[in-house]
Amino acid sequence: MDINTFLQALQEQGIELNEKQQAQFHRYFEILVEWNGKMNLTAITDQEGVYLKHFYDSLTAAFYYDFNQPLRICDVGAGAGFPSLPLKIVFPQLKVTIVDSLKKRITFLNHLAHELELDDVAFYHDRAENFGKNANFREGYDLVMARAVARMSVLSELCLPLATKGGRFIAMKGPNLKEEMEDAGVAIQTVGGEVLDVHTFDLPEEGSERNIAIIEKRRKTPKKYPRKAGTPNKAPIQ
C-alpha cells in the first residue's frame, strides 16, 4: 500500500490525516526499519508492507469502534507499538499504556515516542499476567487491546482483568476466529466478559482475512485471574 493509497483508504473511512500526522507515520516507518537492524521487531520492512500490514491494519479498529473520545487504552503485547501507536497518532487525545515482556522492545518504544513527540503514553516491561494483578492497573482501562498475540481463550484471561466494568476488550485477529471464539466462550464468561460483535473483513490489496472481536466487561474479574505467568497459555480456561 503506497502512501497515497493509505491516505485515500483512510479518507474513505472518514479519517483525514494532517501534515504532522503524515510525517509521524513516515518517521515511524524509518525508526522501525532502523531499529529492526538491531533487534527483531517485524518481518515486514518494505514501506508498502508496513503501511498496509502494520499502520492500516492497526487503524481498522477505528472503523468499528469510536476512538474520538478521551479513552484510557492498554495495549497488551504490542511489540513494535501495534495497534495502539498508529491509533494514538490519528487520535492524539488517547491515553495509551503498553505492556510488553521484552525489555528491548520497551527501549524501542520509548525512543519512538520521543521521536514522534507523543504525550500521554506509558510503557511497562512486564508479563501481562503480573500486570493484570497489579492494583495500580487492574480494572483501570476503558479499552484493552491485543493484536494477534495469542488464542482468544488466553487473551481473554490476560486482557479483561485490565478493563473497567463497562469497558471493552478489542482483539484484532487473522483468519479462523470463529473456532477460537467457540473455544474461548467459557474463558470470556469466567473473567467477566460478554461478546458484543465480531467484524470480519479483508485487508485491501492482498485480500487476507481479518477479524475484530469486541467484548464488553460486564462483571468484575474474580481475584484469582489472571493466573501466574505462563499458566493461561499452558492451561487455558475451559
Side-chain angles (χ1 to χ4, degrees), residues 15-233:
I15 297 171
E16 297 264 358
L17 298 189
N18 61 34
E19 285 187 12
K20 180 185 176 183
Q21 290 165 322
Q22 292 178 44
Q24 284 174 308
F25 276 113
H26 180 66
R27 188 73 186 112
Y28 196 153
F29 165 69
E30 289 181 335
I31 295 166
L32 180 69
V33 172
E34 178 193 336
W35 279 63
N36 206 57
K38 310 176 201 175
M39 64 178 78
N40 182 25
L41 291 166
T42 176
I44 302 159
T45 54
D46 64 295
Q47 189 171 48
E48 294 200 349
V50 169
Y51 269 79
L52 175 64
K53 296 179 184 176
H54 287 323
F55 297 163
Y56 181 85
D57 192 30
S58 293
L59 295 174
T60 56
F63 306 166
Y64 303 101
Y65 191 81
D66 180 14
F67 284 86
N68 283 301
Q69 44 187 326
L71 297 166
R72 294 163 299 166
I73 295 179
C74 184
D75 189 351
V76 175
F82 309 120
S84 58
L85 293 189
L87 287 163
K88 171 70 178 172
I89 291 171
V90 176
F91 304 97
Q93 84 289 349
L94 299 175
K95 291 179 163 57
V96 172
T97 296
I98 289 177
V99 55
D100 197 275
S101 60
L102 200 63
K103 187 73 173 16
K104 286 193 293 188
R105 283 200 289 257
I106 298 297
T107 304
F108 163 76
L109 291 169
N110 274 306
H111 174 75
L112 179 69
H114 174 74
E115 287 288 312
L116 300 186
E117 299 179 349
L118 301 177
D119 55 12
D120 280 332
V121 292
F123 308 117
Y124 293 93
H125 172 229
D126 204 353
R127 291 287 298 251
E129 296 94 332
N130 301 331
F131 196 75
K133 288 279 196 191
N134 188 322
N136 293 323
F137 308 112
R138 187 180 179 87
E139 299 192 325
Y141 297 94
D142 306 304
L143 179 62
V144 183
M145 303 187 74
R147 181 173 175 254
V149 176
R151 301 188 305 285
M152 277 301 297
S153 51
V154 178
L155 279 183
S156 301
E157 183 175 350
L158 299 180
C159 294
L160 275 163
L162 290 162
T164 58
K165 193 176 167 188
R168 301 285 191 272
F169 161 43
I170 291 182
M172 305 183 71
K173 306 282 286 179
N176 308 318
L177 182 62
K178 189 178 178 191
E179 194 178 303
E180 274 192 47
M181 293 299 287
E182 287 168 5
D183 291 343
V186 174
I188 291 168
Q189 289 274 336
T190 301
V191 293
E194 297 283 345
V195 178
L196 290 183
D197 278 305
V198 177
H199 301 281
T200 303
F201 58 97
D202 290 335
L203 210 55
E205 299 188 356
E206 64 169 35
S208 53
E209 182 184 312
R210 293 290 187 271
N211 287 276
I212 292 179
I214 303 178
I215 296 163
E216 183 178 5
K217 173 81 166 275
R218 293 267 176 89
R219 301 169 297 281
K220 280 179 76 75
T221 302
K223 282 184 182 170
K224 69 180 279 191
Y225 300 107
R227 293 165 293 166
K228 68 180 184 182
T231 303
N233 209 32

